[in-house]
Amino acid sequence: TLSLHDALPISGTSVVVTNSFCTAAAHVFANVSTADNTAKSAQVTPAAGSFTVTLNAAATGQVAIDFFIVNAD
């Protein structure tokens, strides 16, 4: 498992996070931990060596994402 807090500069609605602990079968939990007027939640799509964080709406500024990876392999 891996848990981190990272500030992600998101100008659109998604960003790819490279992380060697992530696999396609991993369970990645993400939470928007910055108060933002529009970006309130995040959906995560895992892949081998990375995962994509997709926000419910474009952020009005830089948002911080807390994430936790549990490998299912």
Side-chain angles (χ1 to χ4, degrees):
T1 61
L2 175 70
S3 177
L4 289 174
H5 171 88
D6 200 0
L8 303 175
I10 300 176
S11 57
T13 57
S14 66
V15 65
V16 175
V17 178
T18 303
N19 191 296
S20 62
F21 288 101
C22 190
T23 67
H27 301 285
V28 183
F29 303 93
N31 182 56
V32 177
S33 58
T34 302
D36 188 82
N37 290 330
T38 56
K40 304 290 184 189
S41 63
Q43 179 181 356
V44 179
T45 305
S50 67
F51 58 91
T52 302
V53 177
T54 304
L55 298 175
N56 67 302
T60 56
Q62 187 178 45
V63 295
I65 303 289
D66 294 320
F67 62 89
F68 182 76
I69 301 173
V70 178
N71 282 321
D73 296 334

